[in-house]
Amino acid sequence: MNNNRREFLKFLGVTSYSLAGISVLESLVSCQSISPNTFPSLEDDLILADGFNYYPLISWGDQINKYDVFGFNNDYITYKPLSSSELIMWVNHEYTHPLFVSGLERTKENVDKERRLVGGSIIKVKKIDRKWKFQKDDPVNRGVRGDTPMTFANGVKVKGLNTVEGTCSNCAGGFTPWNTFLTCEENTHKNYGEHNRKTGKFKKTRVEWEKFYPHPVEHYGWVVEVDPDTGKAQKHTNLGRFGHESATCITSKSGHVVVYSGDDKENEHLYKFVSKNNSDFNQGILYVANTEQGKWLPLDLELSPILKKHFKTQLEVLTYAREASKVLGATELNRPEDIEVHPHTGDVYIALTKSASKDDPFGSILKVSESANDHSATSFKAETFLFGGELSKFSCPDNLAFDQNGNLWMSSDISGGAIGKGKYKSFGNNGLFVIPTSGKNAGNVIQVASAPVDAELTGLSFSPDQKTLFLSVQHPGERTKDLSNPTSNWPTGNMPKPTVVAIEGAELEKITQRTK
Ligand code: FEO
Ligand code: CA
Ligand code: CA
């Protein structure tokens, strides 16, 4: 599809909105209190629009308890609220950069250091004197890391083992209705490699963890549930094995917990798990989407008997979910990343970041409306909410969050090597955007932040009162080749450090606070 067609469709998408307006945001946009001249930027700084400010909450290397430091490349953020001013926060640490954390030489000692810095951190965060502060010595603080022992839920054994060593490639995640964290294993083939089931060929990694820890590759690529209070972690085979970006939970009208998850790989799929009940994931059905036909296809040997030609057991179907999805004719999508459910309409928004093979360099945001607005339905309608591109002023949508007024917040992930170049030139560094989904500005994209050099803004998470947005600044200076000459020196002025920040300000409150 060419760009004009893309923008024309975007125009159609926008004008089809007719929901009630959001007066505060409309006046905010119309009086242009968010300066349009601030962006785009290629500056090595976290730049915010007028009326927004930030302060750092915690950075890579900060001691969280006697044994653990805050890991590298902070990503997804969620929390269990203890009160409006006290949170048990979970932060993913997606991957490391050996040059910064260990050393380029592939020794066991270096690999061990890296495994200690991925996974996630549980940290206590409190609001004191109107600022959120990390509580250094709180007993709840702990790392759940690449070497932390855990199990498969429900007694399941994968490759003959119920126990598994650690979690890695923790991208986005979710929060269950029973107050536990979900962390998603995405690109685990980059940690432990991948077997081709048909040819038996093994694809090695660059980081060579498998050299020292030749674990079954099938032990990774799952959704991991973490108990906020104890740090106890279990991997859920029922939610399937693929490059899980996120695991967004919602309880359906009929009382089933539904988990939406995208597989962030070129030409892979959109999934949802419908749990039998509303208190665990131990029984239920994993579906994959055919977005052209609007059908959820069950990845289940009994409900889709054609799978029996390719798989002997249901665990095999779940373990090789990508292969099973292709057998069922699931739609190949342009790298599904984060997923969020609109708090008013129930529509499901999915970031499709881009596709090289389908000539889609800027990506789009897909909207799925479940039949009868029931999240456990087996049919739906899908349409594009917004296309990326020069007209919409964003490219490569990745992380999403809704505020309580139904505004969609989105951060972009143009890869470091492409930022500021060629077709990506006009977008500047990666950014944070807010997009009204109703009223006369529905679909208008307003940029509110620009990231430091090479960085991506991830993990969008609003505080309980929505007056603060917690945000991960991930991989600043990622393209650094020489530590004495890093490509970014944010936020220290010297060495780049992945950091979680708290964003606040009068303009943020105008957008997120209830107007009625
Ligand atoms: Fe970890 Fe798909 O981003
Ligand atoms: Ca992502
Ligand atoms: Ca990304």
Side-chain angles (χ1 to χ4, degrees), residues 258 260 272 274 285-290 293-298 303 368-381:
V258 176
Y260 291 95
K272 78 171 177 185
V274 180
I285 297 170
L286 182 67
Y287 295 88
V288 64
N290 180 314
Q293 294 173 3
K295 281 188 184 151
W296 289 108
L297 312 167
L303 297 172
V368 161
S369 309
E370 297 277 22
S371 295
N373 212 1
D374 179 357
H375 291 285
S376 46
T378 52
S379 62
F380 62 89
K381 252 179 39 195

mmCIF file of all heavy atoms in Angstrom, residues 258 260 272 274 285-290 293-298 303 368-381:
data_model
loop_
_atom_site.group_PDB
_atom_site.id
_atom_site.type_symbol
_atom_site.label_atom_id
_atom_site.label_comp_id
_atom_site.label_asym_id
_atom_site.label_seq_id
_atom_site.Cartn_x
_atom_site.Cartn_y
_atom_site.Cartn_z
ATOM 1 N N VAL A 258 -9.358 -12.958 30.217
ATOM 2 C CA VAL A 258 -8.861 -13.026 28.844
ATOM 3 C C VAL A 258 -7.509 -12.330 28.809
ATOM 4 O O VAL A 258 -7.342 -11.256 29.394
ATOM 5 C CB VAL A 258 -9.870 -12.353 27.875
ATOM 6 C CG1 VAL A 258 -9.340 -12.330 26.452
ATOM 7 C CG2 VAL A 258 -11.220 -13.066 27.950
ATOM 8 N N TYR A 260 -4.671 -10.942 26.146
ATOM 9 C CA TYR A 260 -4.283 -10.654 24.764
ATOM 10 C C TYR A 260 -2.762 -10.577 24.674
ATOM 11 O O TYR A 260 -2.112 -9.972 25.539
ATOM 12 C CB TYR A 260 -4.867 -9.310 24.317
ATOM 13 C CG TYR A 260 -6.361 -9.318 24.150
ATOM 14 C CD1 TYR A 260 -7.212 -8.885 25.184
ATOM 15 C CD2 TYR A 260 -6.948 -9.750 22.968
ATOM 16 C CE1 TYR A 260 -8.585 -8.891 25.035
ATOM 17 C CE2 TYR A 260 -8.336 -9.759 22.806
ATOM 18 C CZ TYR A 260 -9.139 -9.326 23.840
ATOM 19 O OH TYR A 260 -10.504 -9.331 23.678
ATOM 20 N N LYS A 272 -5.155 -14.644 21.841
ATOM 21 C CA LYS A 272 -5.787 -14.384 23.140
ATOM 22 C C LYS A 272 -6.043 -15.707 23.836
ATOM 23 O O LYS A 272 -6.372 -16.720 23.193
ATOM 24 C CB LYS A 272 -7.079 -13.564 23.009
ATOM 25 C CG LYS A 272 -8.303 -14.313 22.561
ATOM 26 C CD LYS A 272 -9.552 -13.427 22.703
ATOM 27 C CE LYS A 272 -10.788 -14.143 22.186
ATOM 28 N NZ LYS A 272 -11.982 -13.296 22.200
ATOM 29 N N VAL A 274 -8.377 -17.484 26.652
ATOM 30 C CA VAL A 274 -9.613 -17.322 27.423
ATOM 31 C C VAL A 274 -9.611 -18.370 28.522
ATOM 32 O O VAL A 274 -9.698 -19.575 28.261
ATOM 33 C CB VAL A 274 -10.865 -17.464 26.532
ATOM 34 C CG1 VAL A 274 -12.136 -17.299 27.369
ATOM 35 C CG2 VAL A 274 -10.839 -16.442 25.407
ATOM 36 N N ILE A 285 -8.554 -21.859 26.776
ATOM 37 C CA ILE A 285 -8.232 -22.093 25.357
ATOM 38 C C ILE A 285 -7.416 -20.915 24.821
ATOM 39 O O ILE A 285 -7.760 -19.751 25.039
ATOM 40 C CB ILE A 285 -9.533 -22.268 24.531
ATOM 41 C CG1 ILE A 285 -10.293 -23.514 25.004
ATOM 42 C CG2 ILE A 285 -9.217 -22.390 23.040
ATOM 43 C CD1 ILE A 285 -11.682 -23.635 24.422
ATOM 44 N N LEU A 286 -6.342 -21.265 24.119
ATOM 45 C CA LEU A 286 -5.546 -20.243 23.432
ATOM 46 C C LEU A 286 -6.066 -20.128 22.000
ATOM 47 O O LEU A 286 -6.233 -21.148 21.316
ATOM 48 C CB LEU A 286 -4.068 -20.645 23.435
ATOM 49 C CG LEU A 286 -3.111 -19.643 22.789
ATOM 50 C CD1 LEU A 286 -3.025 -18.344 23.591
ATOM 51 C CD2 LEU A 286 -1.713 -20.252 22.623
ATOM 52 N N TYR A 287 -6.358 -18.900 21.581
ATOM 53 C CA TYR A 287 -6.834 -18.648 20.221
ATOM 54 C C TYR A 287 -5.812 -17.798 19.478
ATOM 55 O O TYR A 287 -5.065 -17.026 20.084
ATOM 56 C CB TYR A 287 -8.150 -17.854 20.246
ATOM 57 C CG TYR A 287 -9.331 -18.553 20.854
ATOM 58 C CD1 TYR A 287 -9.586 -18.487 22.217
ATOM 59 C CD2 TYR A 287 -10.232 -19.274 20.049
ATOM 60 C CE1 TYR A 287 -10.689 -19.116 22.782
ATOM 61 C CE2 TYR A 287 -11.335 -19.906 20.604
ATOM 62 C CZ TYR A 287 -11.565 -19.818 21.971
ATOM 63 O OH TYR A 287 -12.655 -20.438 22.510
ATOM 64 N N VAL A 288 -5.842 -17.905 18.142
ATOM 65 C CA VAL A 288 -5.029 -17.025 17.310
ATOM 66 C C VAL A 288 -5.978 -16.350 16.318
ATOM 67 O O VAL A 288 -7.002 -16.918 15.948
ATOM 68 C CB VAL A 288 -3.893 -17.812 16.607
ATOM 69 C CG1 VAL A 288 -4.435 -18.849 15.618
ATOM 70 C CG2 VAL A 288 -2.889 -16.876 15.955
ATOM 71 N N ALA A 289 -5.628 -15.122 15.912
ATOM 72 C CA ALA A 289 -6.575 -14.314 15.139
ATOM 73 C C ALA A 289 -6.410 -14.482 13.631
ATOM 74 O O ALA A 289 -5.289 -14.463 13.122
ATOM 75 C CB ALA A 289 -6.411 -12.842 15.509
ATOM 76 N N ASN A 290 -7.556 -14.630 12.953
ATOM 77 C CA ASN A 290 -7.598 -14.371 11.516
ATOM 78 C C ASN A 290 -8.314 -13.031 11.393
ATOM 79 O O ASN A 290 -9.537 -12.955 11.567
ATOM 80 C CB ASN A 290 -8.351 -15.473 10.770
ATOM 81 C CG ASN A 290 -8.382 -15.199 9.275
ATOM 82 O OD1 ASN A 290 -8.659 -14.084 8.846
ATOM 83 N ND2 ASN A 290 -8.070 -16.213 8.483
ATOM 84 N N GLN A 293 -10.967 -12.510 8.402
ATOM 85 C CA GLN A 293 -12.295 -13.122 8.595
ATOM 86 C C GLN A 293 -12.923 -12.738 9.936
ATOM 87 O O GLN A 293 -14.083 -13.056 10.188
ATOM 88 C CB GLN A 293 -12.174 -14.644 8.509
ATOM 89 C CG GLN A 293 -11.775 -15.129 7.112
ATOM 90 C CD GLN A 293 -11.495 -16.632 7.102
ATOM 91 O OE1 GLN A 293 -11.651 -17.319 8.108
ATOM 92 N NE2 GLN A 293 -11.064 -17.127 5.953
ATOM 93 N N GLY A 294 -12.144 -12.075 10.802
ATOM 94 C CA GLY A 294 -12.656 -11.713 12.119
ATOM 95 C C GLY A 294 -12.948 -12.915 12.983
ATOM 96 O O GLY A 294 -13.975 -12.981 13.662
ATOM 97 N N LYS A 295 -12.035 -13.898 12.939
ATOM 98 C CA LYS A 295 -12.279 -15.139 13.696
ATOM 99 C C LYS A 295 -11.124 -15.426 14.630
ATOM 100 O O LYS A 295 -9.957 -15.270 14.260
ATOM 101 C CB LYS A 295 -12.410 -16.322 12.722
ATOM 102 C CG LYS A 295 -13.749 -16.409 12.062
ATOM 103 C CD LYS A 295 -13.847 -17.707 11.274
ATOM 104 C CE LYS A 295 -15.162 -17.762 10.515
ATOM 105 N NZ LYS A 295 -15.061 -18.554 9.298
ATOM 106 N N TRP A 296 -11.466 -15.893 15.839
ATOM 107 C CA TRP A 296 -10.461 -16.429 16.765
ATOM 108 C C TRP A 296 -10.416 -17.936 16.573
ATOM 109 O O TRP A 296 -11.417 -18.618 16.762
ATOM 110 C CB TRP A 296 -10.836 -16.095 18.213
ATOM 111 C CG TRP A 296 -10.691 -14.643 18.562
ATOM 112 C CD1 TRP A 296 -11.698 -13.752 18.781
ATOM 113 C CD2 TRP A 296 -9.465 -13.927 18.756
ATOM 114 N NE1 TRP A 296 -11.171 -12.511 19.099
ATOM 115 C CE2 TRP A 296 -9.791 -12.588 19.092
ATOM 116 C CE3 TRP A 296 -8.104 -14.260 18.686
ATOM 117 C CZ2 TRP A 296 -8.842 -11.604 19.350
ATOM 118 C CZ3 TRP A 296 -7.147 -13.291 18.934
ATOM 119 C CH2 TRP A 296 -7.515 -11.977 19.264
ATOM 120 N N LEU A 297 -9.258 -18.460 16.176
ATOM 121 C CA LEU A 297 -9.107 -19.874 15.836
ATOM 122 C C LEU A 297 -8.495 -20.610 17.024
ATOM 123 O O LEU A 297 -7.421 -20.221 17.502
ATOM 124 C CB LEU A 297 -8.189 -20.008 14.613
ATOM 125 C CG LEU A 297 -8.528 -19.081 13.438
ATOM 126 C CD1 LEU A 297 -7.398 -19.064 12.427
ATOM 127 C CD2 LEU A 297 -9.843 -19.516 12.787
ATOM 128 N N PRO A 298 -9.159 -21.670 17.528
ATOM 129 C CA PRO A 298 -8.644 -22.339 18.731
ATOM 130 C C PRO A 298 -7.395 -23.176 18.454
ATOM 131 O O PRO A 298 -7.410 -24.052 17.588
ATOM 132 C CB PRO A 298 -9.817 -23.217 19.184
ATOM 133 C CG PRO A 298 -10.725 -23.327 18.012
ATOM 134 C CD PRO A 298 -10.464 -22.198 17.078
ATOM 135 N N LEU A 303 -10.641 -29.041 19.309
ATOM 136 C CA LEU A 303 -11.493 -28.073 18.610
ATOM 137 C C LEU A 303 -11.014 -27.806 17.183
ATOM 138 O O LEU A 303 -11.792 -27.396 16.320
ATOM 139 C CB LEU A 303 -11.550 -26.757 19.395
ATOM 140 C CG LEU A 303 -12.169 -26.856 20.788
ATOM 141 C CD1 LEU A 303 -12.005 -25.558 21.561
ATOM 142 C CD2 LEU A 303 -13.649 -27.225 20.684
ATOM 143 N N VAL A 368 -9.465 -3.826 17.357
ATOM 144 C CA VAL A 368 -10.303 -5.028 17.300
ATOM 145 C C VAL A 368 -11.513 -4.810 18.202
ATOM 146 O O VAL A 368 -11.364 -4.464 19.378
ATOM 147 C CB VAL A 368 -9.488 -6.269 17.764
ATOM 148 C CG1 VAL A 368 -10.400 -7.417 18.163
ATOM 149 C CG2 VAL A 368 -8.524 -6.718 16.666
ATOM 150 N N SER A 369 -12.713 -4.968 17.626
ATOM 151 C CA SER A 369 -13.957 -4.862 18.414
ATOM 152 C C SER A 369 -14.569 -6.249 18.504
ATOM 153 O O SER A 369 -15.001 -6.818 17.492
ATOM 154 C CB SER A 369 -14.951 -3.909 17.734
ATOM 155 O OG SER A 369 -14.321 -2.681 17.436
ATOM 156 N N GLU A 370 -14.570 -6.808 19.710
ATOM 157 C CA GLU A 370 -15.090 -8.162 19.908
ATOM 158 C C GLU A 370 -16.609 -8.183 19.699
ATOM 159 O O GLU A 370 -17.299 -7.200 20.025
ATOM 160 C CB GLU A 370 -14.781 -8.630 21.342
ATOM 161 C CG GLU A 370 -13.294 -8.734 21.650
ATOM 162 C CD GLU A 370 -12.664 -10.048 21.170
ATOM 163 O OE1 GLU A 370 -13.224 -10.693 20.267
ATOM 164 O OE2 GLU A 370 -11.600 -10.399 21.715
ATOM 165 N N SER A 371 -17.133 -9.292 19.172
ATOM 166 C CA SER A 371 -18.578 -9.415 18.967
ATOM 167 C C SER A 371 -19.310 -9.244 20.294
ATOM 168 O O SER A 371 -18.897 -9.811 21.313
ATOM 169 C CB SER A 371 -18.920 -10.786 18.385
ATOM 170 O OG SER A 371 -18.365 -10.882 17.108
ATOM 171 N N ALA A 372 -20.362 -8.454 20.262
ATOM 172 C CA ALA A 372 -21.188 -8.149 21.445
ATOM 173 C C ALA A 372 -20.343 -7.598 22.599
ATOM 174 O O ALA A 372 -20.726 -7.709 23.761
ATOM 175 C CB ALA A 372 -21.973 -9.382 21.905
ATOM 176 N N ASN A 373 -19.194 -7.029 22.216
ATOM 177 C CA ASN A 373 -18.288 -6.428 23.218
ATOM 178 C C ASN A 373 -17.911 -7.427 24.323
ATOM 179 O O ASN A 373 -17.698 -7.057 25.467
ATOM 180 C CB ASN A 373 -18.949 -5.177 23.825
ATOM 181 C CG ASN A 373 -17.910 -4.141 24.203
ATOM 182 O OD1 ASN A 373 -16.713 -4.347 23.994
ATOM 183 N ND2 ASN A 373 -18.359 -3.043 24.778
ATOM 184 N N ASP A 374 -17.830 -8.697 23.902
ATOM 185 C CA ASP A 374 -17.510 -9.765 24.856
ATOM 186 C C ASP A 374 -16.086 -10.252 24.562
ATOM 187 O O ASP A 374 -15.828 -10.811 23.488
ATOM 188 C CB ASP A 374 -18.526 -10.907 24.688
ATOM 189 C CG ASP A 374 -18.252 -12.065 25.638
ATOM 190 O OD1 ASP A 374 -17.253 -12.011 26.393
ATOM 191 O OD2 ASP A 374 -19.034 -13.032 25.611
ATOM 192 N N HIS A 375 -15.197 -10.076 25.533
ATOM 193 C CA HIS A 375 -13.789 -10.433 25.283
ATOM 194 C C HIS A 375 -13.566 -11.932 25.142
ATOM 195 O O HIS A 375 -12.522 -12.346 24.666
ATOM 196 C CB HIS A 375 -12.892 -9.833 26.373
ATOM 197 C CG HIS A 375 -12.830 -8.347 26.269
ATOM 198 N ND1 HIS A 375 -12.095 -7.710 25.303
ATOM 199 C CD2 HIS A 375 -13.454 -7.371 26.969
ATOM 200 C CE1 HIS A 375 -12.257 -6.400 25.418
ATOM 201 N NE2 HIS A 375 -13.083 -6.170 26.416
ATOM 202 N N SER A 376 -14.549 -12.731 25.523
ATOM 203 C CA SER A 376 -14.369 -14.165 25.287
ATOM 204 C C SER A 376 -15.073 -14.626 24.002
ATOM 205 O O SER A 376 -15.149 -15.827 23.726
ATOM 206 C CB SER A 376 -14.822 -14.989 26.503
ATOM 207 O OG SER A 376 -16.057 -14.540 26.985
ATOM 208 N N ALA A 377 -15.514 -13.687 23.177
ATOM 209 C CA ALA A 377 -16.180 -14.026 21.911
ATOM 210 C C ALA A 377 -15.200 -14.721 20.967
ATOM 211 O O ALA A 377 -13.978 -14.579 21.095
ATOM 212 C CB ALA A 377 -16.717 -12.755 21.252
ATOM 213 N N THR A 378 -15.751 -15.453 19.993
ATOM 214 C CA THR A 378 -14.870 -16.111 19.025
ATOM 215 C C THR A 378 -14.879 -15.386 17.672
ATOM 216 O O THR A 378 -14.291 -15.851 16.707
ATOM 217 C CB THR A 378 -15.282 -17.587 18.824
ATOM 218 O OG1 THR A 378 -16.679 -17.621 18.525
ATOM 219 C CG2 THR A 378 -15.007 -18.410 20.082
ATOM 220 N N SER A 379 -15.567 -14.243 17.604
ATOM 221 C CA SER A 379 -15.520 -13.454 16.375
ATOM 222 C C SER A 379 -15.372 -11.974 16.727
ATOM 223 O O SER A 379 -15.654 -11.562 17.865
ATOM 224 C CB SER A 379 -16.781 -13.679 15.543
ATOM 225 O OG SER A 379 -17.910 -13.245 16.268
ATOM 226 N N PHE A 380 -14.909 -11.199 15.763
ATOM 227 C CA PHE A 380 -14.627 -9.778 16.010
ATOM 228 C C PHE A 380 -14.560 -9.023 14.691
ATOM 229 O O PHE A 380 -14.552 -9.629 13.613
ATOM 230 C CB PHE A 380 -13.296 -9.643 16.766
ATOM 231 C CG PHE A 380 -12.101 -10.175 16.007
ATOM 232 C CD1 PHE A 380 -11.374 -9.359 15.151
ATOM 233 C CD2 PHE A 380 -11.710 -11.507 16.131
ATOM 234 C CE1 PHE A 380 -10.272 -9.850 14.445
ATOM 235 C CE2 PHE A 380 -10.613 -12.009 15.429
ATOM 236 C CZ PHE A 380 -9.895 -11.180 14.588
ATOM 237 N N LYS A 381 -14.495 -7.706 14.815
ATOM 238 C CA LYS A 381 -14.266 -6.842 13.642
ATOM 239 C C LYS A 381 -12.913 -6.187 13.831
ATOM 240 O O LYS A 381 -12.605 -5.722 14.935
ATOM 241 C CB LYS A 381 -15.338 -5.757 13.591
ATOM 242 C CG LYS A 381 -16.342 -5.960 12.491
ATOM 243 C CD LYS A 381 -17.408 -4.903 12.453
ATOM 244 C CE LYS A 381 -16.965 -3.478 12.733
ATOM 245 N NZ LYS A 381 -18.076 -2.580 13.010
#
